[in-house]
Amino acid sequence: MTNAFRGRLLASTLLVASAAWALPAAAQVASGPAADAAPQQSGDDIVVTGSRIARPDLEQASPIAVVSAEEFRQRGAVNVENVLNTLPQVTGSTSGTDNNPGGGVATVNLRNLGVQRTLVLVDGRRYVAYDTNQVVDLNTIPSALIQRVDVVTGGRSAVYGSDAIAGVVNFVTRRDFSGAEVQANYGLSRRGDSAYYDLNATIGGNFEDGRGNIVAHVGYLNRSPTFAGARSFAENALVDNQDGTASFGGSGQVPQGRIGLGGTNYNFGSDGSIRPYVGTRDAYNYAPINYLQVPQERFLAYTRGTYEVSDAFKPYVEAQFINNRVTGVLAPTPISNSTPYQGGSLGPLRLQVNSPFFNTATQNFLRGFDTDGDGYVSTSTYGFRTTSIGGRTQQDNRNAYRAVLGANGDLGSGWAYDAYYMYARTENTQRQGGNVNLTNFLNSITTAYRDPATGALSAFPVANGTLVCANGSSTCVPSNFFGIGNLSTASGNYLALSATNVEEYSTQVASAAITNSSLFDLGAGGVGIALGVEHRKESGQTFPDQNLASGNVAGFNPGAPTGGSYNLTEFFGETNVPLLADKPLVHRLELNAAARYSMYSNAVNNVFTWAAGGLYEPFRGLGVRGQYQRAIRGPSVYELFLGQTVSFDGANDPCATAAAAQAGALRDRCVAGGVPVARLGDASLADSDFVNPPTTIGGNPNLREERATTWTAGVVITNPIPRFTATVDYYNIKIDGYISRLGQANLFQACYNQGLAEYCSAFGRNSAGEVDRIVDTNLNSGGLKTEGVDVSAGYTVPFSFQGEEASIGFTFSGSYLIKNDLTPIVGVPLVNSCAGRFGNTCGQPTPNWKHFFRTSFDLGQIGVSAAWRHIGPARDDDDSTRFFLERAPAQNYIDLAFTAEPTDRLVLTFGVNNLFDKKPPLSASSQNGGNGEQSNTYPNVYDVLGTYLFTSARVRF
């Protein structure tokens, strides 16, 4: 490296660093008009994401944000969700920091409307879903082939069909690749862990004088695991005391065993002794052995071929294969009275008073509770943890296949067509370890003595008697759960259970469209039109093994088989009409419209969607745009046909609050629901250490479609200063017939606070008044409204630097959320207002304001950039409870990237994300009485790995 080169590098670094701190804003996404390189072009016209009509300009009536391939390189991102989650319009969703739930998938969630309401496309076509939710795993999209990502917000069902309620994310891949390219990427946290490496190669070429092109791509990614114990904020499970403080603790399902007798909880010593249970001392810290970064191994292969037989016939073919292998690890299996078992809960246990597992003092203590003198004590409150069996493991081996066969071409007189057939399929084999056979658990924990002379069983000591299971089975192994380390190897083998889930999902699409970008001219440009038909079939099934299907398993949630399919045929049309151009006060005026008629084979039946909008420029450089759309989302296979399974939500029981002990409607409803009078207002009734009721969930084949009304209005500015652009767009989305479960919190509200008796049947309580069962199936019961404002700006300043052409550029993208209101039950005055909030009702933080700002310095062979990611503050959604985290403060992250191109063939990138090692805000999980999610925080919203370094090298041949 020459001294001149070093000088330029140092100067450019200091210049960009100072510029980054001097300017007040944030983003490397270019927002505003953009092009889509999807299927076809007509002369110099292009196809814009959100429309099928080719046009000569980039502007359209709907707001669009663009993420360039350069942004992926400057973030060191080999999994695309890491970049998309920085967009202000995107709310964090499933990613590589999800351990429970997880599965190693990555998804995108626009406007916090749910991942199933964001349609993901690749080159304008549907992609491969990873399961019966019909959601795309972004891990299956090769980041090295991405040219850019277009994000169009607002419903686009009239153009693309179901699922586009929040908008469309379209991954545009590189086309007509010629040559060879090899790329290597490596990343590592500053603590020396959380490493990944990615190797990929692309080769392609033209033939027949450019009439044909073939490209092939292969890639391999390996991501190392990081345990939560490797970060100080996550190594101890927080327990929320609900008085503004939190303490280190964990779960009441403990390795030493815990039982409740006479209103007091006790746990055991290794010598069979017993003592009162104290959560701050005796709770099990499950946190450190959960993953903070889930390990992943991915192999993908992709090929595409095109050939121009004639102008009218240009066949193309695409084929992809992706193998993802992901392992999740959870703490050893917990077992309690609320553990799901064969359609209900595990229920009370019978313990042998004279068991040799207890010392003499413990036996004497237990006799005081043996009121009928039968030698057994019954308890409905208990918690065990099978640490001797080891942690729970979940190994997903997911294969995805996708093939597209089609043709496009010019038909003459301005007409063009594109027709294709796509088949996509995902197969996942999930192997679980560390589960417990619940039937064997119940058999082995209740013991008796066998008389060697008569073979009779007795709860009381027998001369020379042997300890056996009380059911008398010769294959049953008595198990000592009382005291750490007392569970024998034989007992562990008897209890341990492996399980397997097999999932399959497929999508078939047959589509044909004809377009004409200039059917006729009204004097302001060609009137464009698109017409088409599409047939789609969605089908999937999940095959749990016998133990999972029957509910005879603890560890991972049991579930019945899921299976079903539906198909639909759609007819669609679209037009774009330039009305005026180059007139006084009318530089340009154009209108657009789209419509789609869909015929479903299920309860949705026939539906109609449409959109209308316009773009008005009074003079060049200033545009006003607006769009009004009616969009729909048909229910997924999962929502329609999910077999009964369980979930744990962790909501608070109103009958455990002080208000329940006072005379009034709440007290009366709690008593009617099965709460003993003596326990009204007793906080232990909902103590998450001991009471964590499962929710039985399931599909509903009678679901109808969700219907959304979306409108946007905005301004586009490109003229006042050369090379400057800015946009401001308002959006408003209203969804009716919202498909979801009501959730524990809303069910509690509807039954006990609102007094709606029809929802009280969802709850079941045991004899102690504790909720031990909740039934909550999918319904078209709710509505959702959200509105906000997106702003963006970009500016580039060229100048000369030491005789070289250089430029400094600024890009900014921000979003202000005005409203995000979910009405779980239409007609009931219960509204969850989640703008700027988070918690057990609203979920992860949805701040009012987010922005992203990037400033970049380009000197040809050298580039330096700095990015500022800002996540605004949010407050808890439950005003009646004082949590440890009542207000999540704003988070600011600074990222730096340096690019060098020492030769025409070699590009080197170095960078650091979260430069100042910003820690996430802490909150206990909902199952520990708090309002958080996993790892004592929200890992999909905030950085949890800390300062992260990355480098990459790209070689072209």
Side-chain angles (χ1 to χ4, degrees), residues 238-373:
L238 282 179
V239 174
D240 201 308
N241 300 321
Q242 297 191 356
D243 60 1
T245 66
S247 55
F248 292 141
S251 169
Q253 284 73 60
V254 294
Q256 66 269 27
R258 174 189 54 80
I259 62 172
L261 292 171
T264 302
N265 279 275
Y266 302 89
N267 60 176
F268 297 88
S270 298
D271 60 352
S273 59
I274 196 169
R275 67 178 184 183
Y277 172 88
V278 179
T280 54
R281 177 192 64 198
D282 300 322
Y284 173 70
N285 180 23
Y286 56 82
I289 59 174
N290 285 263
Y291 282 137
L292 198 62
Q293 174 171 281
V294 176
Q296 177 189 16
E297 188 177 23
R298 180 186 69 198
F299 171 80
L300 60 85
Y302 170 85
T303 185
R304 179 178 62 238
T306 61
Y307 186 75
E308 182 180 345
V309 177
S310 67
D311 287 343
F313 185 53
K314 303 172 185 177
Y316 56 85
V317 62
E318 295 179 21
Q320 291 148 286
F321 169 75
I322 308 100
N323 175 255
N324 256 313
R325 300 185 183 190
V326 180
T327 299
V329 173
L330 300 176
T333 294
I335 302 176
S336 68
N337 56 323
S338 58
T339 296
Y341 180 58
Q342 295 182 348
S345 293
L346 202 55
L349 298 180
R350 294 179 71 238
L351 305 180
Q352 185 188 9
V353 171
N354 298 288
S355 169
F357 297 154
F358 307 132
N359 65 19
T360 302
T362 300
Q363 291 176 351
N364 290 333
F365 172 77
L366 294 177
R367 285 191 189 98
F369 296 93
D370 182 12
T371 55
D372 59 4

Side-chain angles (χ1 to χ4, degrees), residues 111 135 160 191 195 214 491 529 564 586 610 658 666 711 769 781 792-793 807 902 926:
R111 306 293 188 202
V135 175
Y160 295 115
R191 294 168 178 80
I214 296 178
S491 294
I529 188 172
V586 183
W610 59 274
L666 177 59
W711 64 277
S781 66
S792 71
S807 66
S926 59

Side-chain angles (χ1 to χ4, degrees), residues 607-625:
V607 292
F608 179 73
T609 59
W610 59 274
L615 177 66
Y616 167 56
E617 291 187 19
F619 50 84
R620 183 185 298 273
L622 175 64
V624 179
R625 60 189 179 187

